[in-house]
Coordinates of all heavy atoms in Angstrom, one line a residue:
M9 N -145.2 116.4 163.8 CA -146.1 116.9 164.7 C -146.3 115.9 165.8 O -147.4 115.4 166.1 CB -147.4 117.1 164.0 CG -148.2 118.3 164.6 SD -149.5 118.9 163.5 CE -150.7 117.7 163.7
G10 N -145.2 115.5 166.5 CA -145.3 114.6 167.6 C -145.8 115.2 168.8 O -145.9 116.5 169.0
P11 N -146.1 114.4 169.8 CA -146.7 114.9 171.1 C -145.8 115.9 171.8 O -146.3 116.9 172.4 CB -146.8 113.6 171.9 CG -146.9 112.5 171.0 CD -146.1 112.9 169.8
K12 N -144.4 115.7 171.7 CA -143.5 116.7 172.4 C -143.5 118.0 171.7 O -143.5 119.0 172.4 CB -142.1 116.1 172.5 CG -141.9 115.1 173.6 CD -142.2 115.7 174.9 CE -141.9 114.8 176.0 NZ -142.2 115.3 177.3
S13 N -143.6 118.1 170.4 CA -143.6 119.4 169.7 C -145.0 120.1 170.0 O -145.0 121.3 170.1 CB -143.4 119.2 168.2 OG -144.3 118.4 167.6
V14 N -146.1 119.3 170.1 CA -147.4 119.9 170.4 C -147.4 120.4 171.8 O -147.8 121.5 172.1 CB -148.5 118.9 170.1 CG1 -149.8 119.4 170.6 CG2 -148.6 118.5 168.7
E15 N -146.8 119.7 172.7 CA -146.7 120.1 174.1 C -145.9 121.4 174.2 O -146.2 122.3 174.9 CB -146.1 119.0 174.9 CG -145.9 119.3 176.4 CD -145.3 118.2 177.2 OE1 -145.4 117.0 176.8 OE2 -144.7 118.5 178.3
G16 N -144.8 121.4 173.5 CA -143.9 122.6 173.5 C -144.7 123.8 173.0 O -144.6 124.9 173.5
A17 N -145.4 123.7 171.8 CA -146.1 124.8 171.3 C -147.2 125.3 172.3 O -147.4 126.5 172.5 CB -146.8 124.3 170.0
A18 N -147.8 124.3 173.0 CA -148.9 124.7 173.9 C -148.3 125.4 175.2 O -148.9 126.2 175.8 CB -149.7 123.5 174.4
S19 N -147.0 125.2 175.4 CA -146.4 125.8 176.6 C -145.8 127.1 176.4 O -145.8 128.0 177.3 CB -145.3 124.8 177.2 OG -144.2 124.7 176.4
Y20 N -145.3 127.4 175.1 CA -144.6 128.7 174.9 C -145.0 129.5 173.7 O -144.7 130.7 173.6 CB -143.1 128.5 174.9 CG -142.6 127.5 173.9 CD1 -142.5 127.8 172.6 CD2 -142.2 126.3 174.3 CE1 -142.1 126.9 171.6 CE2 -141.7 125.3 173.4 CZ -141.7 125.7 172.1 OH -141.2 124.8 171.2
A21 N -145.7 128.9 172.8 CA -146.1 129.6 171.5 C -147.3 130.5 171.6 O -148.2 130.3 172.5 CB -146.2 128.6 170.4
D22 N -147.4 131.5 170.8 CA -148.6 132.3 170.7 C -149.7 131.5 170.0 O -150.9 131.6 170.4 CB -148.4 133.5 169.8 CG -147.4 134.5 170.5 OD1 -147.4 134.6 171.8 OD2 -146.8 135.3 169.8
G23 N -149.4 130.6 169.0 CA -150.4 129.9 168.3 C -149.8 128.6 167.8 O -148.6 128.4 167.7
W24 N -150.7 127.8 167.3 CA -150.4 126.5 166.7 C -151.2 126.3 165.4 O -152.4 126.5 165.4 CB -150.7 125.4 167.8 CG -150.5 124.0 167.3 CD1 -149.3 123.5 166.7 CD2 -151.3 122.8 167.5 NE1 -149.4 122.2 166.5 CE2 -150.6 121.7 167.0 CE3 -152.6 122.7 168.1 CZ2 -151.2 120.4 167.1 CZ3 -153.1 121.4 168.1 CH2 -152.4 120.3 167.6
L25 N -150.5 125.9 164.4 CA -151.1 125.7 163.1 C -151.0 124.3 162.7 O -150.1 123.9 161.9 CB -150.4 126.6 162.0 CG -150.3 128.1 162.3 CD1 -149.4 128.8 161.3 CD2 -151.7 128.7 162.1
P26 N -151.8 123.4 163.2 CA -151.7 122.0 163.0 C -152.2 121.6 161.5 O -153.0 122.3 160.9 CB -152.7 121.4 164.0 CG -153.7 122.4 164.3 CD -152.9 123.7 164.1
F27 N -151.6 120.6 161.0 CA -151.9 120.1 159.7 C -153.0 119.1 159.8 O -152.9 118.2 160.6 CB -150.6 119.5 159.0 CG -150.9 118.9 157.7 CD1 -151.1 119.8 156.6 CD2 -150.9 117.6 157.4 CE1 -151.3 119.3 155.3 CE2 -151.1 117.1 156.2 CZ -151.3 117.9 155.1
L28 N -154.0 119.2 159.0 CA -155.2 118.3 159.0 C -155.8 118.2 160.4 O -156.2 117.1 160.8 CB -154.8 116.9 158.4 CG -154.4 116.9 157.0 CD1 -154.0 115.5 156.6 CD2 -155.5 117.4 156.1
Y29 N -156.0 119.3 161.0 CA -156.6 119.4 162.3 C -158.1 119.1 162.3 O -158.8 119.7 161.4 CB -156.3 120.8 162.9 CG -156.9 121.0 164.3 CD1 -156.2 120.5 165.4 CD2 -158.0 121.7 164.6 CE1 -156.6 120.7 166.7 CE2 -158.5 121.9 165.8 CZ -157.8 121.4 166.9 OH -158.3 121.6 168.2
S30 N -158.6 118.3 163.1 CA -160.0 118.0 163.2 C -160.5 118.3 164.6 O -160.1 117.6 165.6 CB -160.3 116.5 163.0 OG -161.6 116.2 163.3
P31 N -161.3 119.4 164.8 CA -161.7 119.8 166.2 C -162.4 118.7 166.9 O -162.3 118.5 168.1 CB -162.6 121.0 165.9 CG -162.2 121.5 164.6 CD -161.7 120.4 163.8
E32 N -163.2 117.9 166.1 CA -163.9 116.8 166.7 C -163.0 115.7 167.4 O -163.4 115.0 168.3 CB -164.8 116.1 165.7 CG -165.9 117.0 165.2 CD -165.4 117.8 164.0 OE1 -164.3 117.6 163.5 OE2 -166.1 118.8 163.6
D33 N -161.8 115.6 166.8 CA -160.9 114.5 167.3 C -159.7 115.1 168.1 O -158.9 114.3 168.6 CB -160.3 113.8 166.1 CG -161.4 113.1 165.3 OD1 -162.4 112.6 165.8 OD2 -161.3 113.0 164.0
A34 N -159.7 116.4 168.3 CA -158.5 117.0 168.9 C -158.2 116.5 170.3 O -157.1 116.2 170.7 CB -158.7 118.5 169.0
A35 N -159.3 116.4 171.1 CA -159.1 115.9 172.5 C -158.5 114.5 172.5 O -157.6 114.2 173.3 CB -160.4 116.0 173.3
Q36 N -159.0 113.6 171.7 CA -158.5 112.2 171.7 C -157.1 112.2 171.1 O -156.3 111.4 171.7 CB -159.4 111.4 170.8 CG -159.0 110.0 170.6 CD -159.9 109.2 169.7 OE1 -160.9 109.7 169.2 NE2 -159.5 108.0 169.4
V37 N -156.8 112.9 170.1 CA -155.5 112.8 169.5 C -154.4 113.7 170.2 O -153.3 113.2 170.4 CB -155.6 113.3 168.0 CG1 -154.2 113.3 167.3 CG2 -156.5 112.4 167.2
W38 N -154.7 114.9 170.5 CA -153.7 115.8 171.1 C -154.0 116.3 172.5 O -153.3 117.1 173.0 CB -153.6 117.1 170.2 CG -153.3 116.8 168.8 CD1 -154.0 116.9 167.7 CD2 -152.0 116.2 168.3 NE1 -153.4 116.5 166.6 CE2 -152.1 116.0 166.9 CE3 -150.9 115.7 169.0 CZ2 -151.1 115.4 166.2 CZ3 -149.9 115.2 168.2 CH2 -150.0 115.0 166.9
G39 N -155.1 115.8 173.1 CA -155.5 116.3 174.4 C -154.4 116.2 175.5 O -154.2 117.2 176.2
D40 N -153.8 115.1 175.6 CA -152.7 114.9 176.6 C -151.6 115.9 176.4 O -151.1 116.6 177.4 CB -152.2 113.5 176.7 CG -153.2 112.5 177.2 OD1 -154.2 112.9 177.8 OD2 -153.0 111.3 176.9
A41 N -151.1 116.0 175.2 CA -150.0 116.9 174.9 C -150.4 118.4 175.1 O -149.6 119.2 175.6 CB -149.5 116.7 173.4
L42 N -151.6 118.8 174.6 CA -152.1 120.1 174.8 C -152.2 120.5 176.3 O -151.9 121.5 176.8 CB -153.4 120.4 174.1 CG -153.2 120.4 172.5 CD1 -154.6 120.4 171.9 CD2 -152.4 121.6 172.1
A43 N -152.8 119.5 177.1 CA -153.0 119.7 178.5 C -151.6 119.9 179.2 O -151.5 120.7 180.1 CB -153.8 118.6 179.1
A44 N -150.7 119.0 178.9 CA -149.3 119.1 179.5 C -148.7 120.5 179.2 O -148.1 121.1 180.1 CB -148.5 118.0 179.1
G45 N -148.8 120.9 178.0 CA -148.2 122.2 177.6 C -148.9 123.3 178.3 O -148.3 124.3 178.8
A46 N -150.2 123.3 178.4 CA -151.0 124.3 179.0 C -150.6 124.4 180.5 O -150.6 125.5 181.1 CB -152.5 124.1 178.9
A47 N -150.4 123.2 181.1 CA -150.0 123.2 182.6 C -148.7 123.9 182.8 O -148.4 124.5 183.9 CB -150.0 121.8 183.1
A48 N -147.8 123.8 181.8 CA -146.4 124.4 181.9 C -146.4 125.9 181.4 O -145.4 126.6 181.5 CB -145.4 123.6 181.2
R49 N -147.5 126.3 180.8 CA -147.6 127.7 180.2 C -147.5 128.8 181.2 O -148.2 128.7 182.2 CB -148.9 127.8 179.4 CG -149.0 129.0 178.5 CD -150.2 128.8 177.6 NE -150.3 129.9 176.7 CZ -149.7 130.0 175.5 NH1 -148.9 129.0 175.2 NH2 -149.8 131.1 174.7
S50 N -146.7 129.8 181.0 CA -146.6 130.9 181.9 C -147.9 131.7 181.9 O -148.6 131.9 180.9 CB -145.5 131.9 181.3 OG -145.5 133.1 182.1
A51 N -148.3 132.2 183.1 CA -149.5 132.9 183.3 C -149.4 134.3 182.6 O -150.4 134.9 182.3 CB -149.7 133.1 184.8
D52 N -148.2 134.7 182.2 CA -148.0 136.0 181.5 C -148.4 135.9 180.1 O -148.6 136.9 179.4 CB -146.5 136.4 181.6 CG -146.1 136.7 183.0 OD1 -146.9 137.0 183.9 OD2 -144.9 136.6 183.3
L53 N -148.5 134.7 179.5 CA -148.9 134.5 178.1 C -150.4 134.4 177.9 O -151.1 134.0 178.8 CB -148.3 133.2 177.6 CG -146.8 133.1 177.6 CD1 -146.3 131.7 177.1 CD2 -146.2 134.1 176.6
A54 N -150.8 134.9 176.8 CA -152.2 134.8 176.4 C -152.5 133.3 176.1 O -151.6 132.5 175.9 CB -152.5 135.6 175.2
P55 N -153.8 132.9 176.1 CA -154.1 131.5 175.8 C -153.6 131.2 174.4 O -153.5 132.0 173.5 CB -155.7 131.5 175.8 CG -156.1 132.7 176.6 CD -155.0 133.7 176.4
L56 N -153.3 129.9 174.2 CA -152.8 129.4 172.9 C -153.9 129.5 171.9 O -155.1 129.1 172.1 CB -152.4 127.9 173.0 CG -152.0 127.2 171.8 CD1 -150.6 127.8 171.3 CD2 -151.9 125.7 172.0
E57 N -153.6 130.1 170.7 CA -154.5 130.2 169.6 C -154.3 129.0 168.7 O -153.1 128.7 168.3 CB -154.2 131.5 168.8 CG -154.4 132.7 169.6 CD -155.7 133.4 169.4 OE1 -156.4 133.1 168.5 OE2 -156.0 134.3 170.2
I58 N -155.3 128.3 168.4 CA -155.2 127.1 167.4 C -156.0 127.5 166.2 O -157.2 127.8 166.2 CB -155.8 125.8 168.0 CG1 -155.0 125.5 169.3 CG2 -155.7 124.7 167.0 CD1 -155.6 124.3 170.0
V59 N -155.3 127.5 165.0 CA -155.9 127.9 163.8 C -155.7 126.8 162.8 O -154.6 126.4 162.5 CB -155.2 129.2 163.2 CG1 -155.8 129.6 161.9 CG2 -155.3 130.3 164.2
A60 N -156.8 126.3 162.3 CA -156.7 125.2 161.3 C -157.1 125.7 159.9 O -157.9 126.6 159.8 CB -157.7 124.1 161.7
G61 N -156.4 125.1 158.9 CA -156.7 125.5 157.6 C -157.9 124.8 157.0 O -158.5 124.0 157.7
G62 N -158.1 125.0 155.8 CA -159.2 124.4 155.1 C -159.0 124.5 153.6 O -158.1 125.0 153.1
V63 N -160.0 123.9 152.9 CA -159.9 124.0 151.4 C -161.2 124.7 150.9 O -162.3 124.4 151.4 CB -159.9 122.5 150.8 CG1 -159.9 122.6 149.3 CG2 -158.7 121.8 151.3
V64 N -161.0 125.6 150.0 CA -162.1 126.3 149.4 C -162.0 126.1 147.9 O -160.9 126.4 147.4 CB -162.1 127.8 149.8 CG1 -163.2 128.6 149.0 CG2 -162.2 128.0 151.3
A65 N -163.0 125.8 147.3 CA -163.0 125.6 145.8 C -164.3 126.2 145.3 O -165.4 125.9 145.8 CB -162.9 124.1 145.4
I66 N -164.2 126.9 144.2 CA -165.3 127.5 143.5 C -165.4 127.0 142.1 O -164.4 127.0 141.4 CB -165.2 129.1 143.5 CG1 -165.2 129.6 145.0 CG2 -166.4 129.7 142.8 CD1 -164.8 131.0 145.1
G67 N -166.5 126.5 141.7 CA -166.7 126.0 140.4 C -167.9 125.1 140.2 O -168.6 124.8 141.2
E68 N -168.1 124.7 139.0 CA -169.3 123.9 138.7 C -169.1 122.4 138.9 O -170.0 121.6 139.1 CB -169.7 124.1 137.2 CG -170.0 125.5 136.9 CD -171.4 125.9 137.4 OE1 -172.3 125.1 137.4 OE2 -171.5 127.1 137.7
D69 N -167.8 121.9 138.8 CA -167.5 120.5 138.8 C -167.3 120.0 140.3 O -166.1 119.8 140.7 CB -166.2 120.3 138.0 CG -165.9 118.8 137.9 OD1 -166.7 117.9 138.3 OD2 -164.8 118.5 137.4
V70 N -168.3 119.8 141.0 CA -168.2 119.4 142.4 C -167.5 118.0 142.5 O -166.6 117.9 143.3 CB -169.6 119.3 143.0 CG1 -169.6 118.7 144.4 CG2 -170.3 120.6 143.0
K71 N -167.8 117.1 141.7 CA -167.2 115.8 141.7 C -165.7 115.9 141.5 O -164.8 115.3 142.1 CB -167.8 114.8 140.7 CG -167.1 113.4 140.8 CD -167.7 112.5 139.8 CE -167.1 111.1 139.8 NZ -165.7 111.0 140.1
G72 N -165.3 116.8 140.5 CA -163.9 117.0 140.2 C -163.1 117.6 141.4 O -162.0 117.2 141.7
V73 N -163.7 118.5 142.1 CA -163.1 119.2 143.3 C -163.0 118.1 144.4 O -161.9 118.0 145.0 CB -163.9 120.4 143.7 CG1 -163.4 120.9 145.0 CG2 -163.8 121.5 142.7
L74 N -164.0 117.4 144.6 CA -164.0 116.3 145.6 C -162.9 115.3 145.3 O -162.1 114.9 146.2 CB -165.3 115.6 145.8 CG -166.4 116.4 146.5 CD1 -167.7 115.7 146.4 CD2 -166.0 116.7 147.9
D75 N -162.7 114.9 144.1 CA -161.7 114.0 143.7 C -160.3 114.6 143.9 O -159.4 113.9 144.2 CB -161.9 113.6 142.2 CG -163.0 112.6 142.0 OD1 -163.5 112.1 143.0 OD2 -163.5 112.5 140.9
L76 N -160.2 115.9 143.7 CA -158.9 116.6 143.9 C -158.5 116.6 145.4 O -157.3 116.4 145.7 CB -159.0 118.1 143.4 CG -157.8 118.9 143.5 CD1 -156.7 118.5 142.6 CD2 -158.2 120.4 143.3
V77 N -159.4 116.8 146.3 CA -159.0 116.9 147.7 C -159.2 115.6 148.5 O -158.7 115.5 149.6 CB -159.8 118.1 148.4 CG1 -159.6 119.4 147.8 CG2 -161.3 117.8 148.5
R78 N -159.8 114.7 147.9 CA -160.1 113.4 148.6 C -158.8 112.8 149.2 O -158.9 112.3 150.3 CB -160.8 112.4 147.6 CG -161.4 111.2 148.3 CD -162.1 110.3 147.4 NE -163.0 111.0 146.4 CZ -164.2 111.3 146.8 NH1 -164.7 111.1 148.0 NH2 -165.0 111.9 145.9
P79 N -157.7 112.7 148.5 CA -156.5 112.1 149.1 C -156.0 112.8 150.3 O -155.5 112.2 151.2 CB -155.4 112.2 148.0 CG -156.2 112.4 146.7 CD -157.5 113.1 147.1
M80 N -156.3 114.1 150.4 CA -155.8 114.9 151.6 C -156.7 114.6 152.8 O -156.3 114.7 154.0 CB -155.9 116.4 151.3 CG -154.9 116.8 150.3 SD -154.9 118.6 150.1 CE -156.1 118.8 148.9
F81 N -157.9 114.1 152.6 CA -158.9 113.9 153.7 C -159.4 112.5 153.8 O -160.4 112.2 154.4 CB -160.1 114.9 153.5 CG -159.7 116.3 153.7 CD1 -159.4 117.1 152.5 CD2 -159.5 116.9 154.9 CE1 -159.0 118.4 152.6 CE2 -159.1 118.2 155.0 CZ -158.9 119.0 153.9
A82 N -158.7 111.6 153.2 CA -159.2 110.2 153.1 C -159.4 109.6 154.5 O -160.4 108.8 154.7 CB -158.2 109.3 152.4
H83 N -158.6 110.0 155.5 CA -158.8 109.4 156.8 C -160.1 109.9 157.5 O -160.6 109.3 158.4 CB -157.6 109.8 157.7 CG -157.5 111.2 158.1 ND1 -157.2 112.2 157.2 CD2 -157.8 111.9 159.2 CE1 -157.2 113.4 157.8 NE2 -157.6 113.2 159.0
R84 N -160.7 111.0 157.0 CA -162.0 111.5 157.5 C -163.2 111.0 156.8 O -164.3 111.3 157.2 CB -162.0 113.0 157.5 CG -160.9 113.7 158.4 CD -161.2 113.5 159.8 NE -162.5 114.1 160.2 CZ -163.2 113.8 161.2 NH1 -162.7 112.9 162.1 NH2 -164.3 114.3 161.5
G85 N -163.1 110.3 155.7 CA -164.2 109.7 155.0 C -165.0 110.7 154.2 O -166.2 110.8 154.3
L86 N -164.4 111.6 153.4 CA -165.1 112.5 152.6 C -166.0 111.8 151.7 O -165.7 110.7 151.2 CB -164.0 113.3 151.8 CG -164.1 114.8 151.8 CD1 -162.8 115.4 151.3 CD2 -165.2 115.3 150.9
P87 N -167.2 112.3 151.4 CA -168.2 111.7 150.5 C -167.7 111.5 149.1 O -166.9 112.2 148.6 CB -169.4 112.6 150.6 CG -168.9 113.9 151.1 CD -167.7 113.6 151.8

């Protein structure tokens, strides 16, 4: 998920499915690449759709679930 691939997606793709996307950090991390791609995007295309995944867990063991997903989100400081 380097800057050139993000720029390419922003210029010609219908959507982008980033891994571990954080809306709060998107401008700082991907802002330049997304802006460059948007500038090259054809006016005939709809706006780029950005869809981020998430984790859903149902159960009584909150600590166990947090321990399960903690390695995936360690950079964000999960409680």
Side-chain angles (χ1 to χ4, degrees):
M9 212 165 74
K12 281 297 187 187
S13 62
V14 173
E15 181 180 334
S19 69
Y20 56 76
D22 291 331
W24 180 44
L25 303 168
F27 180 70
L28 296 177
Y29 181 78
S30 168
E32 297 84 11
D33 301 323
Q36 177 184 356
V37 177
W38 301 114
D40 292 342
L42 289 170
R49 191 173 183 81
S50 170
D52 296 336
L53 295 175
L56 178 69
E57 300 262 345
I58 300 175
V59 180
V63 176
V64 176
I66 300 170
E68 300 286 326
D69 185 11
V70 174
K71 182 181 180 324
V73 171
L74 287 173
D75 288 342
L76 178 68
V77 299
R78 193 177 313 278
M80 292 184 274
F81 296 95
H83 72 285
R84 294 291 302 160
L86 230 160

